[in-house]
Amino acid sequence: MELASYSDYAVRLVNTEEPARGTDTLTSVEAVRALFGASTQASRRATEADVTRFRSVRGRLRAIFAAADGDEATHAVDLLNSLLLEFPVSPQISGHDFLDDEGHPRWHMHLAEHPSNATAGFAAIAAMGLAFHLTEYGVDRLGLCQAAPCRNAYLDTSTNRSRRYCSDRCATRANVAAYRARKRLETERSDSTGRSAEKAHATVPAADR
């Protein structure tokens, strides 16, 4: 697995909350376990105490995306470094899941699960994955959706650094809203021009018309 792909852990956790909408799906130990995806062994360590701990890490991860989205690259890196120091990873060489045509392991780097608790394990992997993504693609590749009020986190992997939305749905919604805003502005300008013409016409003496 590419180490940068672990950055999806950070996105999944951040997007359990939509502050502008007042929604939060991280309300139970089951929700915590679901964030681990296929890693069932790690998810089994989750307890009710991890709900609060996960929320704390979520806030810190969102702050990283917010700083990056606000062109505060150094601040984003400082915030991420603090997570990396607090939640260190245990890298291991793995290959048992990937075999070549001759049946030999395809060796690759793997981030081992942290043994202490579910939050520490998830935070370590999320922070390291985000670090690899940031250093490989750039701080400006971390963003928050521009389709208000969404503000979900996303990772921009586009070739021209053009991504601004977390999903096609939000992109479509934003484009429709922008189109409607342009049409309203055009209508207002047209109405204003019409009223100005009527006013000018009214000020001309009838004999001169």
Side-chain angles (χ1 to χ4, degrees), residues 5-6 13 29 40 42 49 54 56 60 64 77 92 118 123 132 137-139 144 147 167 177 187 202 206-207:
S5 67
Y6 284 110
L13 177 53
V29 67
T40 56
F54 261 66
S56 176
R60 295 169 68 181
I64 295 169
V77 170
Q92 291 183 341
F132 277 110
Y137 297 106
V139 181
L144 293 174
S167 64
T187 299

Side-chain angles (χ1 to χ4, degrees), residues 9 12 32-46 113 118:
Y9 276 60
R12 291 206 303 267
V32 168
R33 289 170 178 161
L35 288 169
F36 284 91
S39 184
T40 56
Q41 180 179 351
S43 68
R44 280 197 292 268
R45 290 199 299 268
E113 296 168 356

Side-chain angles (χ1 to χ4, degrees), residues 7-167:
S7 56
D8 185 58
Y9 276 60
V11 173
R12 291 206 303 267
L13 177 53
V14 171
N15 291 345
T16 59
E17 180 185 32
E18 294 185 86
R21 289 190 172 113
T23 62
D24 186 350
T25 61
L26 190 57
T27 58
S28 66
V29 67
E30 287 75 19
V32 168
R33 289 170 178 161
L35 288 169
F36 284 91
S39 184
T40 56
Q41 180 179 351
S43 68
R44 280 197 292 268
R45 290 199 299 268
T47 67
E48 290 293 340
D50 285 300
V51 176
T52 300
R53 291 195 289 252
F54 261 66
R55 285 179 171 178
S56 176
V57 172
R58 179 181 65 187
R60 295 169 68 181
L61 287 170
R62 175 171 282 279
I64 295 169
F65 280 91
D69 191 66
D71 294 325
E72 300 176 25
T74 300
H75 185 45
V77 170
D78 287 343
L79 292 172
L80 182 52
N81 275 334
S82 69
L83 278 175
L84 291 170
L85 287 172
E86 186 173 344
F87 301 104
V89 298
S90 301
Q92 291 183 341
I93 298 174
S94 179
H96 55 83
D97 293 328
F98 302 94
L99 304 178
D100 60 22
D101 294 337
E102 297 178 357
H104 300 140
R106 293 179 178 175
W107 302 113
H108 60 279
M109 291 299 296
H110 174 76
L111 299 183
E113 296 168 356
H114 203 286
S116 59
N117 60 66
T119 301
F122 192 96
I125 292 174
M128 182 55 73
L130 204 56
F132 277 110
H133 194 282
L134 184 151
T135 53
E136 181 173 350
Y137 297 106
V139 181
D140 59 339
R141 293 305 189 102
L142 278 60
L144 293 174
C145 186
Q146 300 301 302
C150 177
R151 303 301 281 169
N152 271 348
Y154 66 83
L155 300 167
D156 184 5
T157 56
S158 63
T159 56
N160 58 357
R161 299 172 181 264
S162 62
R163 185 170 180 178
R164 295 293 179 271
Y165 308 103
C166 68
S167 64

